Amino acid sequence: MQKQAHSKSAQNSVPKPGLLIALLIIVIVAIFYGVKNSQNTEESPDSPATQSRQGEARVPTIQAASWDEIDDPSKDGWDTEVFANEASKQLKSLGKLLARPDKIDDDSVGKLIIDDFTCEPLRPKNLETIRDDQLLKIGRLRNAATDRNSNQLPLRGAGDLAEALRAVAEPLTGATGVRFKAKVFNVTATPGGITTRQYFSISGRTKSGTVEQHATWEIGWTTGTSDAPPRMQWLRVKEFEQTVSHLTHGALFTDCTESILGKNQSYQDQFLRGMNDWLERIQDNSPFAILGNPGLAVGDVNGDGLDDLYVCQEAGLPNRLFIQNPDGSAREESAAWGVDWLQSSRSALLVDLDNDSDQDLVVSILGGVVVAENDGKGHFRLRDVLTTSEDTMSLSAVDYDLDGRLDIYVCAYHDNEMLESGTSHALPGASAGFVVHDANNGGINSLLHNRISHDGNWSFKDVTNEVGLNKNNHRWSLAASWDDYDNDGDQDLYVANDYGRDHFYRNDLKSPATTPPSGVKQQFTDISTTARVEDSATGMSMTWGDYNRDGWMDAFVSNMWSSAGQRVTYQKKFQEGASAEQKQRIQRLARGNTLLQNQGDGTFSDQSAPAGIEMGRWAWGSHFIDVNNDGWEDLVVSNGYITTEDTGDL
């Protein structure tokens, strides 16, 4: 089947004679005009520039437009975006004042506001203490709308605003590393001007600990002119939270990477270079250029009670296995264990597949899954390469049928046809049939049933179709996670998809309400709609946890948060011909992370906004963990992307 696919692709790529002639004409015309243009613009033989280049070959070049010229909203009618840029400049000026409170005075503040400006205290005094222990003190503004009359703002003019700014800066007195950020995520035109919503944050490290303030501001502005920037008319504080760390030695977490891996030559030569550096040196042109290297696994491979680390790498760069030493450092033993593979590797698992009490290794590569057996003697023995969808992404292990053996679920991204045609290296939106808000042409995920016997016979079977996981199974999947959401004793499956709706499959193995069809071990049912978990976002990771301690597992999905996306998609000008459903799905793509509370009746309730977890960046990973051992599960979310120093609207 694979050969047929390649053959078909090759046939389709052969141009017809008429097309060849047309292409030839275009090339000839392009050459003609290029030569003609170079002749018309050729400098005089006597010019200094020409004399300095006598005998040199000259290659005609095209002056490319700068990104600022391409991304200029004033040229395509996006007035709200023009205003967002101008408002952001004013907020940046305000941030500079907060970083230097000694510079806050009526004159400096007056440049940002109108004469009869009104506002609320920017650091409310009526904060409710929601946590105060040896680690953190957190105060939060509760029910802000009911604490005052929203039409009556007590502070007026430059003097009051200056005092309010000094109150914000007061907890940061003497702080180092002060950071300020304001993100405009909504712009609305009103009869009296323009209203914006923005996230505000400021933080710094003091002698008594780290201080952070986070808030949501609503600001009314004048429209501004070509000669004068917009000015603030009023400001309301919609949300506010202040966190004070009681740790005087630094942050809650310390980067210990160097101390653990730093003595290994591979760390110095390979990992410290970073992705951008290696992209200029390796020949492989794969989708990693966009997606990076997400793969790593933690497990005790040598049975000494200490966790070891396996790290996946780009094609041409060896994967690395680090064995933990008793002192907490780690030594690299990839070659000794036989796992310094050079294939493009996306993700990995360290799990016991053959129930012999040691950790075996599973690695997803382009085109399949590599399975290696831990021989218990300091070496992994290659046992199988399982063929899956070409563009494998992430792995998860589960005993879905309760037979005592761990099975493997594989998420796939691009479909095979895109990879074979070469379109996978471009943005997916350029491919035929791609729908950003509800894509349905991605790779095919696979459930691999573990049939390894006690006598050492290794075997896996693809059972995706026969167990019912082939429904809606081509959604550009990035991650999947298993847990028993209905407390019936079997593992259910949530799949986070990058473009469009996620999917949730109930495992009916133990459910008395469903009888599996004859000849089928068990049946999975897609209950995304009925369970109310059809989250149409940019799903990049998924984790389960009982965050409210009610005995039912809740779901968290990390997505992409974009201030620009939230501004643009709510404008009347955006997708004027699209249906309301299409607009809603596209708007959802930029909203951020999702928290789904398990109701205990087979459904979930979206608690993202009330819980305050939507705001993130590009949230690639997440995990529920009790950080301070108080019995409540906290949430850790990793954010990141390959960017410049200016992350723009991320």
Side-chain angles (χ1 to χ4, degrees):
M1 293 297 291
Q2 191 67 29
K3 291 183 178 180
Q4 292 177 356
H6 279 289
S7 176
K8 183 179 180 181
S9 177
Q11 292 172 1
N12 291 339
S13 66
V14 178
K16 297 180 180 179
L19 180 58
L20 286 173
I21 295 173
L23 290 172
L24 183 61
I25 293 173
I26 292 172
V27 171
I28 293 173
V29 171
I31 293 173
F32 171 78
Y33 277 104
V35 173
K36 189 174 186 297
N37 185 63
S38 67
Q39 291 174 345
N40 292 337
T41 58
E42 189 173 4
E43 298 167 295
S44 168
D46 298 327
S47 68
T50 302
Q51 293 175 3
S52 66
R53 297 199 303 266
Q54 290 293 333
E56 295 181 5
R58 288 179 293 169
V59 179
T61 59
I62 299 175
Q63 183 64 42
S66 68
W67 179 251
D68 289 337
E69 293 174 313
I70 298 173
D71 188 32
D72 185 352
S74 65
K75 294 182 179 179
D76 52 17
W78 284 96
D79 297 335
T80 54
E81 286 301 282
V82 175
F83 185 87
N85 291 335
E86 294 301 315
S88 295
K89 293 177 182 178
Q90 293 290 78
L91 291 170
K92 189 174 182 179
S93 298
L94 186 147
K96 291 180 179 179
L97 291 177
L98 287 171
R100 294 286 306 277
D102 58 306
K103 300 294 184 181
I104 300 175
D105 55 32
D106 291 9
D107 291 338
S108 61
V109 171
K111 299 176 182 179
L112 305 175
I113 62 175
I114 63 174
D115 292 339
D116 56 347
F117 169 83
T118 58
C119 74
E120 298 173 316
L122 303 184
R123 184 165 72 93
K125 296 181 180 180
N126 57 334
L127 298 182
E128 179 182 348
T129 300
I130 62 172
R131 175 175 172 175
D132 190 2
D133 54 27
Q134 60 182 1
L135 193 63
L136 295 171
K137 181 178 181 179
I138 302 176
R140 184 176 297 163
L141 180 63
R142 295 267 192 179
N143 302 320
T146 61
D147 289 344
R148 72 301 189 260
N149 186 337
S150 59
N151 296 320
Q152 297 179 0
L153 304 179
L155 306 183
R156 296 184 175 275
D160 282 359
L161 177 57
E163 192 64 32
L165 291 173
R166 283 191 285 267
V168 170
E170 188 272 332
L172 294 160
T173 301
T176 59
V178 176
R179 301 175 63 185
F180 169 88
K181 198 72 175 181
K183 289 276 190 184
V184 179
F185 64 90
N186 182 271
V187 179
T188 304
T190 64
I194 296 177
T195 299
T196 64
R197 283 199 173 208
Q198 45 273 305
Y199 287 124
F200 154 87
S201 65
I202 188 171
S203 63
R205 184 176 298 172
T206 70
K207 292 181 179 181
S208 58
T210 300
V211 178
E212 296 183 15
Q213 295 178 27
H214 303 278
T216 300
W217 288 350
E218 190 173 78
I219 302 177
W221 301 84
T222 64
T223 55
T225 66
S226 58
D227 299 323
R231 296 196 176 200
M232 290 185 284
Q233 298 176 308
W234 52 265
L235 188 155
R236 295 188 179 96
V237 179
K238 309 300 290 187
E239 297 172 315
F240 184 90
E241 180 181 277
Q242 177 173 283
T243 301
V244 180
S245 167
H246 296 317
L247 298 176
T248 59
H249 60 274
L252 292 177
F253 294 91
T254 302
D255 185 353
C256 57
T257 312
E258 181 75 26
S259 63
I260 295 176
L261 303 178
K263 294 183 179 180
N264 296 282
Q265 198 64 40
S266 60
Y267 174 75
Q268 303 293 334
D269 296 342
Q270 183 173 335
F271 290 98
L272 290 185
R273 291 183 179 272
M275 172 61 76
N276 286 341
D277 184 84
W278 285 115
L279 286 175
E280 298 176 356
R281 289 166 168 78
I282 56 181
Q283 295 183 353
D284 181 59
N285 184 24
S286 73
F288 285 93
I290 298 176
L291 299 172
N293 302 110
L296 60 85
V298 176
D300 181 10
V301 302
N302 58 357
D304 63 354
L306 302 174
D307 282 334
D308 311 304
L309 178 67
Y310 187 79
V311 185
C312 297
Q313 289 290 285
E314 173 65 277
L317 298 174
N319 294 350
R320 299 294 184 177
L321 175 64
F322 296 95
I323 304 297
Q324 186 177 170
N325 297 315
D327 64 357
S329 64
R331 63 189 184 278
E332 199 246 308
E333 294 190 4
S334 316
W337 283 75
V339 291
D340 53 342
W341 303 324
L342 299 176
Q343 286 82 1
S344 292
S345 305
R346 290 276 179 85
S347 59
L349 294 173
L350 285 169
V351 291
D352 186 5
L353 296 174
D354 53 0
N355 292 336
D356 63 352
S357 301
D358 56 29
Q359 303 286 289
D360 306 302
L361 178 64
V362 186
V363 179
S364 68
I365 61 175
L366 293 179
V369 175
V370 179
V371 182
E373 177 191 9
N374 189 336
D375 66 3
K377 302 176 181 179
H379 193 267
F380 283 103
R381 179 171 55 184
L382 181 64
R383 296 307 300 254
D384 207 347
V385 178
L386 310 173
T387 302
T388 62
S389 186
E390 281 290 323
D391 197 23
T392 57
M393 185 57 64
S394 65
L395 301 168
S396 56
V398 64
D399 183 9
Y400 80 94
D401 56 353
L402 304 181
D403 66 351
R405 297 184 295 253
L406 287 175
D407 312 292
I408 302 171
Y409 188 79
V410 187
C411 286
Y413 200 64
H414 294 94
D415 72 355
N416 294 353
E417 187 174 336
M418 288 182 184
L419 289 169
E420 293 165 3
S421 64
T423 60
S424 63
H425 309 309
L427 291 176
S431 61
F434 183 84
V435 180
V436 68
H437 64 276
D438 199 18
N440 203 22
N441 60 349
I444 298 175
N445 303 336
S446 304
L447 178 62
L448 305 175
H449 181 223
N450 184 347
R451 302 189 297 180
I452 300 175
S453 61
H454 294 292
D455 60 2
N457 182 26
W458 282 60
S459 175
F460 286 86
K461 179 186 178 183
D462 190 334
V463 296
T464 312
N465 294 343
E466 68 182 72
V467 302
L469 289 178
N470 56 333
K471 308 291 192 307
N472 295 308
N473 191 31
H474 25 68
R475 295 277 188 180
W476 300 79
S477 304
L478 283 173
S481 186
W482 299 78
D483 214 302
D484 184 10
Y485 95 101
D486 50 4
N487 291 339
D488 67 348
D490 54 31
Q491 298 291 297
D492 311 292
L493 173 64
Y494 190 107
V495 181
N497 300 316
D498 194 8
Y499 297 105
R501 67 187 75 181
D502 294 343
H503 281 91
F504 186 45
Y505 302 90
R506 185 186 65 215
N507 189 339
D508 292 325
L509 177 66
K510 303 285 284 186
S511 173
T514 304
T515 302
S518 177
V520 179
K521 276 189 174 182
Q522 74 180 81
Q523 182 75 36
F524 286 88
T525 304
D526 186 346
I527 59 170
S528 310
T529 302
T530 58
R532 301 195 300 224
V533 300
E534 200 178 59
D535 194 30
S536 295
T538 52
M540 291 182 281
S541 76
M542 194 275 163
T543 185
W544 294 93
D546 184 11
Y547 85 96
N548 58 350
R549 301 202 300 190
D550 65 351
W552 297 92
M553 297 300 289
D554 312 298
F556 176 86
V557 185
S558 67
N559 302 301
M560 183 189 74
W561 185 91
S562 170
S563 55
Q566 295 187 64
R567 294 194 308 266
V568 170
T569 58
Y570 283 91
Q571 299 302 318
K572 183 179 179 181
K573 179 181 174 70
F574 178 77
Q575 294 287 313
E576 292 179 305
S579 66
E581 181 187 1
Q582 288 177 328
K583 286 187 177 182
Q584 289 172 0
R585 289 190 179 277
I586 296 174
Q587 290 164 352
R588 176 63 189 91
L589 291 174
R591 197 190 76 187
N593 303 323
T594 301
L595 178 63
L596 299 170
Q597 181 181 323
N598 193 335
Q599 301 298 290
D601 59 359
T603 67
F604 290 80
S605 172
D606 192 333
Q607 297 296 314
S608 309
I613 55 81
E614 292 178 321
M615 172 61 174
R617 296 293 189 270
W618 289 67
W620 288 102
S622 57
H623 197 69
F624 279 108
I625 183 172
D626 185 1
V627 175
N628 59 339
N629 296 322
D630 64 352
W632 293 88
E633 290 192 288
D634 309 300
L635 185 60
V636 178
V637 182
S638 61
N639 299 282
Y641 202 68
I642 301 173
T643 66
T644 62
E645 292 183 0
D646 180 12
T647 59
D649 283 303
L650 295 178

mmCIF file of all heavy atoms in Angstrom, residues 474-488:
data_model
loop_
_atom_site.group_PDB
_atom_site.id
_atom_site.type_symbol
_atom_site.label_atom_id
_atom_site.label_comp_id
_atom_site.label_asym_id
_atom_site.label_seq_id
_atom_site.Cartn_x
_atom_site.Cartn_y
_atom_site.Cartn_z
ATOM 1 N N HIS A 474 -8.780 11.930 12.700
ATOM 2 C CA HIS A 474 -7.822 12.575 11.809
ATOM 3 C C HIS A 474 -7.896 14.091 12.030
ATOM 4 O O HIS A 474 -8.208 14.848 11.113
ATOM 5 C CB HIS A 474 -8.087 12.216 10.343
ATOM 6 C CG HIS A 474 -9.504 11.832 10.043
ATOM 7 N ND1 HIS A 474 -10.525 12.714 10.094
ATOM 8 C CD2 HIS A 474 -10.065 10.687 9.732
ATOM 9 C CE1 HIS A 474 -11.665 12.095 9.817
ATOM 10 N NE2 HIS A 474 -11.426 10.874 9.582
ATOM 11 N N ARG A 475 -7.610 14.493 13.252
ATOM 12 C CA ARG A 475 -7.836 15.866 13.684
ATOM 13 C C ARG A 475 -6.556 16.612 14.070
ATOM 14 O O ARG A 475 -6.601 17.528 14.848
ATOM 15 C CB ARG A 475 -8.789 15.862 14.886
ATOM 16 C CG ARG A 475 -10.193 15.366 14.571
ATOM 17 C CD ARG A 475 -11.019 16.446 14.002
ATOM 18 N NE ARG A 475 -12.428 16.078 13.855
ATOM 19 C CZ ARG A 475 -13.345 16.892 13.376
ATOM 20 N NH1 ARG A 475 -13.032 18.097 13.003
ATOM 21 N NH2 ARG A 475 -14.592 16.487 13.282
ATOM 22 N N TRP A 476 -5.401 16.232 13.509
ATOM 23 C CA TRP A 476 -4.164 16.926 13.825
ATOM 24 C C TRP A 476 -3.882 16.856 15.328
ATOM 25 O O TRP A 476 -3.760 17.868 16.023
ATOM 26 C CB TRP A 476 -4.216 18.382 13.354
ATOM 27 C CG TRP A 476 -4.421 18.550 11.883
ATOM 28 C CD1 TRP A 476 -5.606 18.446 11.207
ATOM 29 C CD2 TRP A 476 -3.423 18.844 10.913
ATOM 30 N NE1 TRP A 476 -5.403 18.648 9.869
ATOM 31 C CE2 TRP A 476 -4.079 18.908 9.659
ATOM 32 C CE3 TRP A 476 -2.053 19.099 10.970
ATOM 33 C CZ2 TRP A 476 -3.397 19.183 8.481
ATOM 34 C CZ3 TRP A 476 -1.377 19.381 9.798
ATOM 35 C CH2 TRP A 476 -2.046 19.422 8.576
ATOM 36 N N SER A 477 -3.749 15.643 15.828
ATOM 37 C CA SER A 477 -3.617 15.402 17.264
ATOM 38 C C SER A 477 -2.195 15.647 17.751
ATOM 39 O O SER A 477 -1.225 15.226 17.124
ATOM 40 C CB SER A 477 -4.034 13.968 17.595
ATOM 41 O OG SER A 477 -5.344 13.704 17.154
ATOM 42 N N LEU A 478 -2.086 16.316 18.887
ATOM 43 C CA LEU A 478 -0.796 16.568 19.510
ATOM 44 C C LEU A 478 -0.593 15.776 20.794
ATOM 45 O O LEU A 478 0.540 15.455 21.144
ATOM 46 C CB LEU A 478 -0.625 18.061 19.799
ATOM 47 C CG LEU A 478 -0.289 18.951 18.605
ATOM 48 C CD1 LEU A 478 -0.308 20.417 19.004
ATOM 49 C CD2 LEU A 478 1.061 18.592 18.007
ATOM 50 N N ALA A 479 -1.684 15.485 21.518
ATOM 51 C CA ALA A 479 -1.515 14.822 22.806
ATOM 52 C C ALA A 479 -2.774 14.051 23.165
ATOM 53 O O ALA A 479 -3.872 14.350 22.693
ATOM 54 C CB ALA A 479 -1.201 15.840 23.905
ATOM 55 N N ALA A 480 -2.607 13.050 24.023
ATOM 56 C CA ALA A 480 -3.726 12.263 24.529
ATOM 57 C C ALA A 480 -3.417 11.836 25.954
ATOM 58 O O ALA A 480 -2.254 11.669 26.326
ATOM 59 C CB ALA A 480 -3.990 11.044 23.646
ATOM 60 N N SER A 481 -4.474 11.661 26.743
ATOM 61 C CA SER A 481 -4.286 11.224 28.124
ATOM 62 C C SER A 481 -5.440 10.326 28.528
ATOM 63 O O SER A 481 -6.587 10.535 28.119
ATOM 64 C CB SER A 481 -4.197 12.431 29.061
ATOM 65 O OG SER A 481 -3.883 12.028 30.377
ATOM 66 N N TRP A 482 -5.138 9.326 29.377
ATOM 67 C CA TRP A 482 -6.108 8.329 29.817
ATOM 68 C C TRP A 482 -6.402 8.499 31.304
ATOM 69 O O TRP A 482 -5.502 8.749 32.104
ATOM 70 C CB TRP A 482 -5.568 6.916 29.589
ATOM 71 C CG TRP A 482 -5.270 6.567 28.173
ATOM 72 C CD1 TRP A 482 -4.177 6.947 27.448
ATOM 73 C CD2 TRP A 482 -6.061 5.761 27.310
ATOM 74 N NE1 TRP A 482 -4.240 6.422 26.183
ATOM 75 C CE2 TRP A 482 -5.399 5.684 26.068
ATOM 76 C CE3 TRP A 482 -7.270 5.073 27.452
ATOM 77 C CZ2 TRP A 482 -5.886 4.955 24.995
ATOM 78 C CZ3 TRP A 482 -7.764 4.344 26.375
ATOM 79 C CH2 TRP A 482 -7.076 4.297 25.170
ATOM 80 N N ASP A 483 -7.671 8.326 31.673
ATOM 81 C CA ASP A 483 -8.058 8.257 33.075
ATOM 82 C C ASP A 483 -9.487 7.741 33.167
ATOM 83 O O ASP A 483 -10.224 7.724 32.174
ATOM 84 C CB ASP A 483 -7.946 9.617 33.770
ATOM 85 C CG ASP A 483 -7.525 9.475 35.232
ATOM 86 O OD1 ASP A 483 -8.236 8.781 35.988
ATOM 87 O OD2 ASP A 483 -6.496 10.043 35.606
ATOM 88 N N ASP A 484 -9.863 7.310 34.356
ATOM 89 C CA ASP A 484 -11.194 6.760 34.578
ATOM 90 C C ASP A 484 -12.127 7.892 35.006
ATOM 91 O O ASP A 484 -12.352 8.109 36.198
ATOM 92 C CB ASP A 484 -11.131 5.654 35.633
ATOM 93 C CG ASP A 484 -12.462 4.960 35.855
ATOM 94 O OD1 ASP A 484 -13.407 5.195 35.070
ATOM 95 O OD2 ASP A 484 -12.555 4.177 36.825
ATOM 96 N N TYR A 485 -12.687 8.619 34.041
ATOM 97 C CA TYR A 485 -13.473 9.801 34.357
ATOM 98 C C TYR A 485 -14.801 9.450 35.007
ATOM 99 O O TYR A 485 -15.370 10.248 35.768
ATOM 100 C CB TYR A 485 -13.707 10.635 33.078
ATOM 101 C CG TYR A 485 -15.014 10.358 32.379
ATOM 102 C CD1 TYR A 485 -16.091 11.221 32.531
ATOM 103 C CD2 TYR A 485 -15.185 9.223 31.585
ATOM 104 C CE1 TYR A 485 -17.296 10.971 31.889
ATOM 105 C CE2 TYR A 485 -16.378 8.964 30.954
ATOM 106 C CZ TYR A 485 -17.436 9.847 31.100
ATOM 107 O OH TYR A 485 -18.640 9.593 30.476
ATOM 108 N N ASP A 486 -15.381 8.258 34.707
ATOM 109 C CA ASP A 486 -16.690 7.881 35.223
ATOM 110 C C ASP A 486 -16.623 6.886 36.380
ATOM 111 O O ASP A 486 -17.662 6.352 36.811
ATOM 112 C CB ASP A 486 -17.564 7.313 34.107
ATOM 113 C CG ASP A 486 -16.865 6.217 33.286
ATOM 114 O OD1 ASP A 486 -15.706 5.847 33.639
ATOM 115 O OD2 ASP A 486 -17.455 5.739 32.296
ATOM 116 N N ASN A 487 -15.425 6.621 36.887
ATOM 117 C CA ASN A 487 -15.229 5.755 38.053
ATOM 118 C C ASN A 487 -15.851 4.372 37.881
ATOM 119 O O ASN A 487 -16.410 3.806 38.828
ATOM 120 C CB ASN A 487 -15.789 6.416 39.321
ATOM 121 C CG ASN A 487 -14.991 7.640 39.755
ATOM 122 O OD1 ASN A 487 -13.828 7.801 39.393
ATOM 123 N ND2 ASN A 487 -15.622 8.512 40.527
ATOM 124 N N ASP A 488 -15.743 3.824 36.658
ATOM 125 C CA ASP A 488 -16.304 2.493 36.429
ATOM 126 C C ASP A 488 -15.223 1.422 36.342
ATOM 127 O O ASP A 488 -15.517 0.257 36.057
ATOM 128 C CB ASP A 488 -17.179 2.476 35.177
ATOM 129 C CG ASP A 488 -16.392 2.683 33.890
ATOM 130 O OD1 ASP A 488 -15.196 3.067 33.965
ATOM 131 O OD2 ASP A 488 -16.965 2.477 32.801
#
